[in-house]
Amino acid sequence: MQKISGKSVQNGTAIGKIKVYTKIGTPVKRIHVNNAVAEILRVEKAVNQAIMDLQNLYKIAVNGAGEDSAAIFEVHQMMLEDEDYNDSIRNIIEHENVNAEFAVARTNEIFSDIFASMEDEYMKARAIDIKDISNRLIHILTGEEENILSDLKEKVILIADDLTPSETVQLEKSMILAFVTVHGSLTSHTAILARTMNIPALISVPIENINELDGKIGIIDGKEAVLYIEPDDNTIEFYEKAVLEEEVQKKLLLELRGKPTVTSDGKEIHLCANVGNIGDIAFAQSNDADGIGLFRSEFIYLGSKDYPTEEEQFQMYKQALQLMEKKKVIIRTCDIGADKQVDYFCMDKEENPALGYRAIRICLDRVDFFKTQLRALFRAAVFGSLSIMYPMIISLDEVKRIKEIVSEVQTELETSGIPYAKHVEQGIMIETPAAALISDELAREVDFFSVGTNDLTQYTLAIDRQNGKLDSLYDKHHRAILSLIKMAADNAHANGKWIGICGELGSDLELTKTFLDMGIDELSVSPGMILKVRKRIMEL
């Protein structure tokens, strides 16, 4: 028996035969050509075909994993249309008189190396996206079929050197028990897709001689981030019991749908869902969310090629409210910046983007942009129970300036005779130590707090949460973080305001009791965690 440790992308247990995924295709050869123009035309035709393929992949991903996860294929389309990328291919063909396949392969090496050499972990992970679009073009140019494992006859544990987003989304999920990759990162789009698909997965597993594993029996322990190869009888027996227990737990959780989230002594907690777009609301509803505790409006901007108009945003917010009927929907204003960059925002490169020009700082600097979103929000609020939440607050002056801009927007709507909701609940995120420390003053100016524990953790501990080298220091249960949350909760309640948690810690079952003891009024978690958290609360 061999035991190999890696990093867990998605918890869960799987036992089954291993299938090794190997990418087909012969190495691209350098061939001298006499007609460079013809080769450039071949590339242009291949790019158009690739974009059509990606549009089909987007539809598949939306149906299988939601719009949030499918967005990567829109990003890949934009990358295929990138001038620098295409200019590189054309220049290599023209200056070296080589075949289109070689020019694409050479451009892939150049751009992949650029991304891979970057210090930022998120940007490093984009190297796989460059490889994905380049391989797609080469497949089209050579006429080779992609090996998507669509003809599997039995359920398997899929092991690969790496998996691109398009490979992952096209897998027949009903035949995949789990997957393991030798490379990859926790912030890659593949990891995001794995979590959305709810498939147990490990990455960064140092497997040698990967092809020798094909057909062998394997076990994935997602919780402990371990892969077992050819396990002994005792190990198999232990994990077979774990698989059965997980199935029983899934069935028991389904019985909690429709039940109130109340502790055994009668304390009720609002249990809501975090979503990235309209498509995710179906997941929230199927898991019986009490409402939407965090609607990440920045994904509207990430999925657009230009600033979304007021009307486009209004229609999206209106649809979200109508889908949730009378349940509360808390929409966070645009939180672009840090690891969420948008080209058309034309922002300068920053040495420390997480500490830089982002979120409310952009909104208060680009007031017209901010007003466009606010107008759409106040107009949509007529159609349901909408609350607005402002991110990355560090001062009382920011809150007062926001209120001034809101007043201006309402006056503009009133003057124009456009229907809007005059009384909309407005709150702020507590995700900086500064906001927590002055939460007594802030509570007097807003209607509620929602704690963004991901950023609060990284700012309190001075640890970049995108940096995998610091994982051992990233202590989510650090007493300083819990003290700041407790301080914000006390100050909220002292001023008659409610407080929720919408960050990752909200779904940490080890802290559920701690948060209830603090008096936290609402927990907002990923849709797949709602029933698990409800079960935990009902046991307290």
Side-chain angles (χ1 to χ4, degrees):
M1 179 176 73
Q2 188 177 3
K3 178 181 177 182
I4 310 174
S5 297
K7 292 182 179 180
S8 178
V9 168
Q10 178 68 21
N11 285 346
T13 306
I15 304 173
K17 187 179 291 185
I18 292 171
K19 175 66 178 177
V20 176
Y21 175 85
T22 54
K23 302 177 191 292
I24 62 172
T26 55
V28 175
K29 295 182 179 180
R30 180 189 181 111
I31 302 173
H32 178 80
V33 298
N34 295 318
N35 191 342
V37 173
E39 293 302 299
I40 291 173
L41 289 174
R42 287 183 65 216
V43 172
E44 292 174 353
K45 184 177 179 181
V47 167
N48 291 332
Q49 179 62 51
I51 290 173
M52 290 175 60
D53 292 345
L54 288 166
Q55 289 171 345
N56 290 329
L57 285 176
Y58 177 85
K59 294 176 183 177
I60 294 171
V62 166
N63 293 330
E67 291 184 10
D68 196 0
S69 297
I72 179 57
F73 299 112
E74 291 184 320
V75 174
H76 280 196
Q77 291 177 52
M78 294 170 65
M79 294 173 80
L80 277 169
E81 296 168 343
D82 181 74
E83 290 184 10
D84 292 336
Y85 180 80
N86 285 287
D87 284 347
S88 174
I89 297 173
R90 281 193 292 268
N91 289 336
I92 292 171
I93 293 173
E94 290 175 344
H95 294 154
E96 301 182 27
N97 290 312
V98 293
N99 55 317
E101 293 88 342
F102 180 82
V104 174
R106 182 73 187 101
T107 296
N108 171 44
E109 292 176 1
I110 295 169
F111 278 71
S112 295
D113 288 346
I114 290 172
F115 279 103
S117 65
M118 293 182 178
E119 293 184 3
D120 183 84
E121 292 295 320
Y122 179 83
M123 296 307 293
K124 275 186 179 180
R126 302 289 69 76
I128 190 67
D129 295 323
I130 292 293
K131 292 178 182 177
D132 198 356
I133 65 169
S134 299
N135 288 336
R136 182 174 299 283
L137 286 180
I138 292 171
H139 281 303
I140 294 171
L141 288 166
T142 59
E144 290 181 336
E145 293 290 330
E146 290 186 88
N147 182 8
I148 304 302
L149 296 173
S150 57
D151 59 345
L152 290 171
K153 300 297 188 292
E154 60 180 329
K155 293 185 177 183
V156 298
I157 293 173
L158 181 64
I159 296 183
D161 184 69
D162 207 342
L163 286 169
T164 65
S166 57
E167 289 167 339
T168 305
V169 78
Q170 291 181 90
L171 294 173
E172 179 53 59
K173 294 189 292 296
S174 64
M175 304 303 286
I176 304 296
L177 295 168
F179 72 71
V180 177
T181 63
V182 178
H183 298 100
S185 78
L186 292 171
T187 62
S188 69
H189 290 286
T190 302
I192 295 170
L193 284 168
R195 295 187 191 103
T196 306
M197 292 174 176
N198 203 26
I199 299 175
L202 304 179
I203 61 169
S204 299
V205 182
I207 304 172
E208 297 180 2
N209 302 319
I210 186 172
N211 290 327
E212 296 180 4
L213 303 185
D214 197 69
K216 293 184 177 181
I217 298 299
I219 294 177
I220 299 294
D221 182 339
K223 184 176 181 181
E224 299 298 327
V226 172
L227 164 67
Y228 293 92
I229 300 168
E230 296 286 49
D232 56 38
D233 291 341
N234 289 336
T235 303
I236 291 175
E237 183 180 355
F238 175 83
Y239 280 104
E240 283 179 340
K241 290 179 180 178
V243 170
L244 291 174
E245 179 61 26
E246 286 177 10
E247 290 300 319
V248 170
Q249 290 301 318
K250 287 178 183 178
K251 291 179 181 179
L252 289 175
L253 287 175
L254 291 176
E255 296 177 3
L256 298 181
R257 286 188 295 191
K259 295 186 178 181
T261 308
V262 181
T263 63
S264 60
D265 59 345
K267 179 176 175 58
E268 183 174 3
I269 303 295
H270 294 287
L271 186 54
C272 300
N274 298 333
V275 301
N277 49 50
I278 300 297
D280 292 342
I281 289 179
F283 293 112
Q285 291 173 320
S286 64
N287 285 282
D288 197 32
D290 294 334
I292 303 299
L294 170 62
F295 185 109
R296 302 181 180 95
S297 71
E298 59 270 16
F299 282 98
I300 296 173
Y301 297 83
L302 288 166
S304 300
K305 295 183 179 180
D306 201 351
Y307 292 100
T309 65
E310 176 185 328
E311 189 62 28
E312 288 171 338
Q313 293 188 63
F314 164 69
Q315 292 296 339
M316 290 184 188
Y317 304 146
K318 174 184 174 182
Q319 186 179 356
L321 289 164
Q322 291 176 327
L323 286 172
M324 291 303 294
E325 297 176 338
K326 295 183 179 180
K327 292 181 177 180
K328 182 182 292 187
V329 176
I330 302 176
I331 297 180
R332 177 173 69 189
T333 57
C334 187
D335 190 15
I336 288 296
D339 60 333
K340 290 172 284 190
Q341 298 289 331
V342 180
D343 288 342
Y344 59 82
F345 272 64
C346 300
M347 295 191 292
D348 296 332
K349 186 181 184 305
E350 297 178 290
E351 291 299 322
N352 297 296
L355 302 177
Y357 190 59
R358 59 171 297 196
I360 202 65
R361 298 170 182 179
I362 297 175
C363 294
L364 295 181
D365 182 49
R366 305 182 184 186
V367 177
D368 288 341
F369 153 76
F370 190 30
K371 281 187 173 182
T372 298
Q373 182 173 30
L374 289 174
R375 285 171 61 91
L377 287 166
F378 279 96
R379 287 174 57 196
V382 173
F383 298 90
S385 178
L386 171 67
S387 297
I388 302 174
M389 180 162 64
Y390 305 103
M392 200 63 186
I393 298 297
I394 65 168
S395 72
L396 194 61
D397 288 340
E398 287 173 330
V399 175
K400 290 181 177 180
R401 178 61 182 135
I402 291 169
K403 294 172 81 169
E404 289 175 358
I405 295 172
V406 166
S407 180
E408 293 171 10
V409 165
Q410 290 179 324
T411 300
E412 292 168 5
L413 291 170
E414 187 76 38
T415 302
S416 302
I418 299 174
Y420 73 98
K422 294 179 174 60
H423 303 290
V424 174
E425 188 180 44
Q426 297 178 72
I428 62 170
M429 293 191 71
I430 302 293
E431 52 187 343
T432 66
L437 291 168
I438 63 168
S439 55
D440 55 338
E441 296 179 357
L442 294 172
R444 292 193 285 270
E445 297 291 333
V446 300
D447 297 315
F448 67 93
F449 289 158
S450 188
V451 184
T453 58
N454 301 353
D455 272 331
L456 183 62
T457 301
Q458 82 165 341
Y459 293 137
T460 303
L461 301 183
I463 290 176
D464 179 2
R465 60 190 175 101
Q466 302 288 341
N467 191 336
K469 294 179 181 178
L470 303 177
D471 284 350
S472 61
L473 299 175
Y474 193 78
D475 181 7
K476 296 180 292 185
H477 294 191
H478 197 290
R479 192 164 65 89
I481 299 162
L482 299 179
S483 295
L484 289 172
I485 297 173
K486 177 67 163 59
M487 180 185 297
D490 289 344
N491 286 326
H493 294 145
N495 287 277
K497 310 299 169 62
W498 66 267
I499 181 171
I501 292 177
C502 64
E504 187 177 331
L505 287 189
S507 59
D508 190 328
L509 301 181
E510 293 180 21
L511 289 176
T512 306
K513 184 179 186 303
T514 300
F515 291 146
L516 266 62
D517 289 342
M518 288 181 186
I520 297 297
D521 304 292
E522 179 212 70
L523 293 174
S524 190
V525 301
S526 62
M529 283 298 297
I530 289 173
L531 295 177
K532 292 180 182 179
V533 175
R534 177 171 293 167
K535 178 177 182 293
R536 175 63 177 143
I537 290 172
M538 293 173 71
E539 292 170 346
L540 295 175

